[in-house]
mmCIF file of all heavy atoms in Angstrom:
data_model
loop_
_atom_site.group_PDB
_atom_site.id
_atom_site.type_symbol
_atom_site.label_atom_id
_atom_site.label_comp_id
_atom_site.label_asym_id
_atom_site.label_seq_id
_atom_site.Cartn_x
_atom_site.Cartn_y
_atom_site.Cartn_z
ATOM 1 N N PRO D 266 21.773 -37.005 -29.141
ATOM 2 C CA PRO D 266 20.423 -36.344 -28.796
ATOM 3 C C PRO D 266 19.782 -37.061 -27.713
ATOM 4 O O PRO D 266 19.086 -36.359 -26.815
ATOM 5 C CB PRO D 266 19.608 -36.180 -30.093
ATOM 6 C CG PRO D 266 20.811 -36.359 -31.239
ATOM 7 C CD PRO D 266 21.828 -37.241 -30.633
ATOM 8 N N SER D 267 19.693 -38.341 -27.724
ATOM 9 C CA SER D 267 19.021 -39.000 -26.688
ATOM 10 C C SER D 267 19.755 -38.795 -25.305
ATOM 11 O O SER D 267 19.013 -38.651 -24.268
ATOM 12 C CB SER D 267 18.998 -40.501 -27.020
ATOM 13 O OG SER D 267 20.320 -41.035 -27.125
ATOM 14 N N ARG D 268 20.996 -38.702 -25.218
ATOM 15 C CA ARG D 268 21.739 -38.545 -24.036
ATOM 16 C C ARG D 268 21.435 -37.055 -23.570
ATOM 17 O O ARG D 268 21.356 -36.897 -22.294
ATOM 18 C CB ARG D 268 23.296 -38.736 -24.203
ATOM 19 C CG ARG D 268 23.713 -40.187 -24.313
ATOM 20 C CD ARG D 268 25.195 -40.294 -24.141
ATOM 21 N NE ARG D 268 25.960 -39.607 -25.016
ATOM 22 C CZ ARG D 268 26.308 -40.002 -26.258
ATOM 23 N NH1 ARG D 268 26.119 -41.263 -26.496
ATOM 24 N NH2 ARG D 268 27.092 -39.309 -27.059
ATOM 25 N N THR D 269 21.412 -36.080 -24.525
ATOM 26 C CA THR D 269 21.085 -34.778 -24.103
ATOM 27 C C THR D 269 19.636 -34.593 -23.459
ATOM 28 O O THR D 269 19.372 -33.976 -22.427
ATOM 29 C CB THR D 269 21.180 -33.888 -25.291
ATOM 30 O OG1 THR D 269 22.488 -33.971 -25.745
ATOM 31 C CG2 THR D 269 20.809 -32.385 -24.955
ATOM 32 N N ALA D 270 18.632 -35.249 -24.130
ATOM 33 C CA ALA D 270 17.317 -35.310 -23.687
ATOM 34 C C ALA D 270 17.253 -36.016 -22.320
ATOM 35 O O ALA D 270 16.461 -35.512 -21.461
ATOM 36 C CB ALA D 270 16.455 -35.984 -24.617
ATOM 37 N N ARG D 271 17.943 -37.050 -22.028
ATOM 38 C CA ARG D 271 17.975 -37.667 -20.784
ATOM 39 C C ARG D 271 18.591 -36.812 -19.607
ATOM 40 O O ARG D 271 18.003 -36.784 -18.561
ATOM 41 C CB ARG D 271 18.831 -39.016 -20.895
ATOM 42 C CG ARG D 271 18.578 -39.953 -19.611
ATOM 43 C CD ARG D 271 19.412 -41.230 -19.739
ATOM 44 N NE ARG D 271 19.075 -41.929 -20.894
ATOM 45 C CZ ARG D 271 19.761 -42.082 -22.074
ATOM 46 N NH1 ARG D 271 21.084 -41.619 -22.189
ATOM 47 N NH2 ARG D 271 19.394 -42.802 -23.018
ATOM 48 N N ARG D 272 19.522 -35.997 -20.013
ATOM 49 C CA ARG D 272 20.082 -35.182 -18.981
ATOM 50 C C ARG D 272 19.184 -33.988 -18.682
ATOM 51 O O ARG D 272 19.013 -33.683 -17.419
ATOM 52 C CB ARG D 272 21.506 -34.616 -19.521
ATOM 53 C CG ARG D 272 22.670 -35.542 -19.453
ATOM 54 C CD ARG D 272 24.032 -34.844 -19.562
ATOM 55 N NE ARG D 272 24.134 -34.142 -20.877
ATOM 56 C CZ ARG D 272 24.613 -34.698 -21.901
ATOM 57 N NH1 ARG D 272 25.041 -35.927 -21.851
ATOM 58 N NH2 ARG D 272 24.628 -33.957 -23.081
ATOM 59 N N LEU D 273 18.493 -33.528 -19.693
ATOM 60 C CA LEU D 273 17.444 -32.368 -19.544
ATOM 61 C C LEU D 273 16.377 -32.939 -18.545
ATOM 62 O O LEU D 273 16.023 -32.228 -17.655
ATOM 63 C CB LEU D 273 16.921 -32.022 -20.758
ATOM 64 C CG LEU D 273 17.985 -31.175 -21.649
ATOM 65 C CD1 LEU D 273 17.378 -30.715 -22.987
ATOM 66 C CD2 LEU D 273 18.386 -29.899 -20.908
ATOM 67 N N TRP D 274 15.811 -34.143 -18.724
ATOM 68 C CA TRP D 274 14.876 -34.707 -18.040
ATOM 69 C C TRP D 274 15.291 -34.894 -16.555
ATOM 70 O O TRP D 274 14.531 -34.707 -15.627
ATOM 71 C CB TRP D 274 14.408 -36.057 -18.661
ATOM 72 C CG TRP D 274 13.526 -36.926 -17.691
ATOM 73 C CD1 TRP D 274 13.817 -37.992 -17.180
ATOM 74 C CD2 TRP D 274 12.175 -36.509 -17.198
ATOM 75 N NE1 TRP D 274 12.799 -38.404 -16.256
ATOM 76 C CE2 TRP D 274 11.841 -37.487 -16.331
ATOM 77 C CE3 TRP D 274 11.309 -35.403 -17.446
ATOM 78 C CZ2 TRP D 274 10.599 -37.459 -15.667
ATOM 79 C CZ3 TRP D 274 10.142 -35.334 -16.749
ATOM 80 C CH2 TRP D 274 9.741 -36.442 -15.898
ATOM 81 N N THR D 275 16.502 -35.411 -16.358
ATOM 82 C CA THR D 275 17.075 -35.666 -15.102
ATOM 83 C C THR D 275 17.047 -34.364 -14.283
ATOM 84 O O THR D 275 16.761 -34.133 -13.102
ATOM 85 C CB THR D 275 18.480 -36.323 -15.120
ATOM 86 O OG1 THR D 275 18.327 -37.584 -15.858
ATOM 87 C CG2 THR D 275 18.935 -36.642 -13.742
ATOM 88 N N ARG D 276 17.568 -33.180 -14.960
ATOM 89 C CA ARG D 276 17.653 -32.031 -14.308
ATOM 90 C C ARG D 276 16.238 -31.368 -13.979
ATOM 91 O O ARG D 276 16.163 -30.583 -12.985
ATOM 92 C CB ARG D 276 18.462 -30.992 -15.157
ATOM 93 C CG ARG D 276 20.028 -31.349 -15.151
ATOM 94 C CD ARG D 276 20.836 -30.498 -15.987
ATOM 95 N NE ARG D 276 22.261 -31.009 -16.257
ATOM 96 C CZ ARG D 276 23.000 -30.420 -17.079
ATOM 97 N NH1 ARG D 276 22.611 -29.287 -17.607
ATOM 98 N NH2 ARG D 276 24.246 -30.803 -17.138
ATOM 99 N N SER D 277 15.364 -31.425 -14.930
ATOM 100 C CA SER D 277 14.000 -30.834 -14.782
ATOM 101 C C SER D 277 12.939 -31.526 -14.195
ATOM 102 O O SER D 277 11.849 -30.936 -13.996
ATOM 103 C CB SER D 277 13.640 -30.064 -16.150
ATOM 104 O OG SER D 277 13.525 -31.285 -17.002
ATOM 105 N N ARG D 278 13.159 -32.829 -13.841
ATOM 106 C CA ARG D 278 11.897 -33.562 -13.436
ATOM 107 C C ARG D 278 11.495 -33.128 -12.114
ATOM 108 O O ARG D 278 10.344 -33.180 -11.779
ATOM 109 C CB ARG D 278 12.312 -35.089 -13.374
ATOM 110 C CG ARG D 278 13.420 -35.393 -12.446
ATOM 111 C CD ARG D 278 13.634 -36.992 -12.655
ATOM 112 N NE ARG D 278 14.863 -37.331 -11.889
ATOM 113 C CZ ARG D 278 15.387 -38.550 -11.966
ATOM 114 N NH1 ARG D 278 14.896 -39.496 -12.749
ATOM 115 N NH2 ARG D 278 16.461 -38.844 -11.098
ATOM 116 N N GLY D 279 12.470 -32.655 -11.212
ATOM 117 C CA GLY D 279 11.937 -32.183 -9.911
ATOM 118 C C GLY D 279 11.083 -31.006 -9.952
ATOM 119 O O GLY D 279 9.923 -31.021 -9.345
ATOM 120 N N PRO D 280 11.507 -29.919 -10.592
ATOM 121 C CA PRO D 280 10.643 -28.714 -10.642
ATOM 122 C C PRO D 280 9.363 -29.073 -11.431
ATOM 123 O O PRO D 280 8.171 -28.482 -11.106
ATOM 124 C CB PRO D 280 11.414 -27.716 -11.482
ATOM 125 C CG PRO D 280 12.858 -28.201 -11.228
ATOM 126 C CD PRO D 280 12.850 -29.562 -11.082
ATOM 127 N N LEU D 281 9.477 -29.906 -12.448
ATOM 128 C CA LEU D 281 8.168 -30.275 -13.214
ATOM 129 C C LEU D 281 7.122 -31.019 -12.236
ATOM 130 O O LEU D 281 5.821 -30.790 -12.365
ATOM 131 C CB LEU D 281 8.534 -31.057 -14.454
ATOM 132 C CG LEU D 281 9.226 -30.300 -15.512
ATOM 133 C CD1 LEU D 281 9.683 -31.358 -16.738
ATOM 134 C CD2 LEU D 281 8.307 -29.205 -16.059
ATOM 135 N N LEU D 282 7.651 -31.946 -11.607
ATOM 136 C CA LEU D 282 6.824 -32.724 -10.597
ATOM 137 C C LEU D 282 6.163 -31.798 -9.475
ATOM 138 O O LEU D 282 5.062 -31.933 -9.211
ATOM 139 C CB LEU D 282 7.551 -33.803 -9.918
ATOM 140 C CG LEU D 282 8.081 -35.020 -10.919
ATOM 141 C CD1 LEU D 282 8.818 -36.035 -10.016
ATOM 142 C CD2 LEU D 282 6.745 -35.693 -11.471
ATOM 143 N N ALA D 283 6.991 -30.846 -8.990
ATOM 144 C CA ALA D 283 6.462 -29.866 -7.984
ATOM 145 C C ALA D 283 5.380 -29.000 -8.650
ATOM 146 O O ALA D 283 4.355 -28.673 -8.079
ATOM 147 C CB ALA D 283 7.579 -29.099 -7.502
ATOM 148 N N LEU D 284 5.575 -28.564 -9.904
ATOM 149 C CA LEU D 284 4.496 -27.854 -10.616
ATOM 150 C C LEU D 284 3.292 -28.591 -10.845
ATOM 151 O O LEU D 284 2.176 -28.074 -10.722
ATOM 152 C CB LEU D 284 5.121 -27.263 -11.873
ATOM 153 C CG LEU D 284 4.186 -26.389 -12.776
ATOM 154 C CD1 LEU D 284 3.774 -25.117 -12.033
ATOM 155 C CD2 LEU D 284 4.848 -26.057 -14.089
ATOM 156 N N LEU D 285 3.508 -29.969 -11.230
ATOM 157 C CA LEU D 285 2.338 -30.728 -11.378
ATOM 158 C C LEU D 285 1.573 -30.935 -10.116
ATOM 159 O O LEU D 285 0.244 -30.884 -10.193
ATOM 160 C CB LEU D 285 2.807 -32.100 -11.969
ATOM 161 C CG LEU D 285 1.667 -33.210 -12.308
ATOM 162 C CD1 LEU D 285 0.726 -32.657 -13.286
ATOM 163 C CD2 LEU D 285 2.290 -34.474 -12.599
ATOM 164 N N LEU D 286 2.118 -31.144 -9.116
ATOM 165 C CA LEU D 286 1.512 -31.304 -7.730
ATOM 166 C C LEU D 286 0.770 -30.051 -7.370
ATOM 167 O O LEU D 286 -0.407 -30.074 -6.813
ATOM 168 C CB LEU D 286 2.434 -31.690 -6.631
ATOM 169 C CG LEU D 286 3.115 -33.033 -6.701
ATOM 170 C CD1 LEU D 286 4.058 -33.231 -5.592
ATOM 171 C CD2 LEU D 286 2.076 -34.140 -6.526
ATOM 172 N N LEU D 287 1.333 -28.804 -7.632
ATOM 173 C CA LEU D 287 0.620 -27.589 -7.369
ATOM 174 C C LEU D 287 -0.465 -27.439 -8.192
ATOM 175 O O LEU D 287 -1.643 -27.009 -7.687
ATOM 176 C CB LEU D 287 1.618 -26.315 -7.722
ATOM 177 C CG LEU D 287 1.281 -25.095 -7.326
ATOM 178 C CD1 LEU D 287 0.837 -24.948 -5.923
ATOM 179 C CD2 LEU D 287 2.125 -23.949 -7.775
ATOM 180 N N VAL D 288 -0.443 -27.651 -9.376
ATOM 181 C CA VAL D 288 -1.644 -27.737 -10.227
ATOM 182 C C VAL D 288 -2.737 -28.598 -9.892
ATOM 183 O O VAL D 288 -3.935 -28.289 -9.772
ATOM 184 C CB VAL D 288 -1.306 -27.929 -11.796
ATOM 185 C CG1 VAL D 288 -2.554 -28.035 -12.599
ATOM 186 C CG2 VAL D 288 -0.340 -26.900 -12.385
#
Side-chain angles (χ1 to χ4, degrees):
S267 62
R268 287 197 299 269
T269 303
R271 191 179 301 110
R272 285 196 299 269
L273 290 176
W274 164 249
T275 303
R276 294 177 181 178
S277 60
R278 61 184 178 183
L281 289 176
L282 290 176
L284 180 61
L285 180 61
L286 290 176
L287 182 62
V288 172

